[in-house]
Amino acid sequence: MTALLQVEDLKVAYGKIEAVKGISFTVQQGEVVTLIGTNGAGKTTTLRTLSGLLKPAGGKIFFDGTPLNGIGAHKVVAMGLAHSPEGRRLFPRLTITENLQLGAFLRKDPDGVQQDINMCYDLFPILGERRKQAAGTLSGGEQQMLAMGRALMSRPKLLMLDEPSMGLSPIMMQKIMETIRELKAQGTTILLVEQNAQAALSIANHGHVMEVGKIVLSGTGEELLHDESVRKAYLGED
Ligand code: ATP
């Protein structure tokens, strides 16, 4: 079976700084794959490159069998790859509903869009209750829910989530992780970047540990969760 996403020897640089130094991994249809690692390891850079915001300095990306050779971010969304970025990047003055509608900007099926807005409100009832509230006035957790909802509005084949638990209270974080589990159960394919390695690995089918631009360890979520070096470095054990 060909992978939905295939990354081969990907390199990304900011000027002379090589942030991603030749990484390879795949994401199969229906699975959750996580990239974990220390700050500055290159995880966000990887997602930004996959979504067409940065151009690779080398390597290949295939999405759904098609090469993504530095094609722009709009085309990448149209191909079915959606990105819920770190820091959320919502439109703060627009309402929840308007932000969700913008996530569907390429779609031409208003009924389907409305159905999916309702689906987001089912997934995150608080968003439904506050649908007319400006996004900029939502709490951090609510903004994260909205960012995920907005990414889902393009009906993506692959959903990329960058640090969805960042800055959230333990209860909110749990809620976000439960939602990711629910999306997985519904068959959504997800590439998840997370600082919270425990939570990410317990959801993921496969995981990759990144350190200074390279993948240093790969395995199933289960294997990495029980790996001694991962436990010491990322799960805070002695
Ligand atoms: P974190 O978990 O802290 O977000 P990360 O694994 O997502 O880390 P990246 O944000 O991808 O890491 O950063 C990888 C490296 O690239 C870092 O050394 C960072 O300083 C550098 N970097 C990121 N963005 C830029 C930029 N716009 N210009 C120059 N260097 C950058």
Side-chain angles (χ1 to χ4, degrees):
M1 192 175 74
T2 51
L4 180 59
L5 177 72
Q6 188 169 351
V7 176
E8 284 176 18
D9 200 23
L10 181 68
K11 297 186 175 109
V12 193
Y14 298 102
K16 285 186 180 155
I17 303 169
E18 229 190 355
V20 175
K21 303 174 182 174
I23 62 167
S24 303
F25 65 94
T26 58
V27 181
Q28 304 289 341
Q29 179 87 42
E31 74 172 351
V32 175
V33 172
T34 188
L35 302 178
I36 60 169
T38 46
N39 289 119
K43 306 179 300 294
T44 296
T45 301
T46 301
L47 292 197
R48 289 177 61 79
T49 308
L50 294 176
S51 60
L53 297 167
L54 295 171
K55 284 209 162 142
K60 292 187 181 138
I61 305 165
F62 295 93
F63 181 64
D64 215 5
T66 307
L68 300 187
N69 289 332
I71 72 171
H74 272 61
K75 284 192 182 151
V76 172
V77 176
M79 287 178 69
L81 210 157
H83 186 186
S84 173
E86 195 178 30
R88 289 140 208 172
R89 294 176 204 238
L90 298 165
F91 296 96
R93 293 184 185 193
L94 300 185
T95 65
I96 289 179
T97 307
E98 288 163 344
N99 269 277
L100 290 175
Q101 284 164 343
L102 282 170
F105 72 101
L106 288 172
R107 290 175 57 181
K108 300 201 163 43
D109 58 327
D111 293 347
V113 169
Q114 190 51 50
Q115 254 176 30
D116 286 356
I117 289 178
N118 292 337
M119 182 265 300
C120 286
Y121 294 156
D122 286 342
L123 207 53
F124 302 112
I126 187 82
L127 296 184
E129 286 165 29
R130 310 231 165 155
R131 62 186 76 185
K132 293 202 172 123
Q133 190 171 323
T137 63
L138 298 172
S139 76
E142 291 159 1
Q143 289 192 21
Q144 185 54 52
M145 294 175 195
L146 181 53
M148 279 172 67
R150 192 181 56 177
L152 284 168
M153 287 302 299
S154 63
R155 288 211 182 160
K157 291 179 187 151
L158 175 65
L159 175 64
M160 300 199 296
L161 302 173
D162 197 352
E163 308 228 0
S165 79
M166 188 167 63
L168 302 187
S169 68
I171 288 177
M172 271 297 178
M173 193 198 83
Q174 217 175 343
K175 166 79 190 144
I176 292 288
M177 290 300 164
E178 270 166 29
T179 306
I180 296 173
R181 239 178 245 282
E182 209 171 308
L183 290 171
K184 178 187 180 188
Q186 289 168 12
T188 312
T189 310
I190 299 173
L191 179 57
L192 171 66
V193 162
E194 250 305 325
Q195 286 280 336
N196 186 330
Q198 173 88 40
L201 291 173
S202 57
I203 296 176
N205 300 88
H206 288 96
H208 306 280
V209 181
M210 283 187 76
E211 275 173 24
V212 285
K214 292 190 170 152
I215 290 178
V216 293
L217 188 65
S218 301
T220 64
E222 188 73 16
E223 281 162 359
L224 294 179
L225 210 46
H226 294 104
D227 181 273
E228 202 178 333
S229 64
V230 171
R231 297 195 75 82
K232 279 189 182 156
Y234 302 104
L235 305 178
E237 293 191 358
D238 295 327

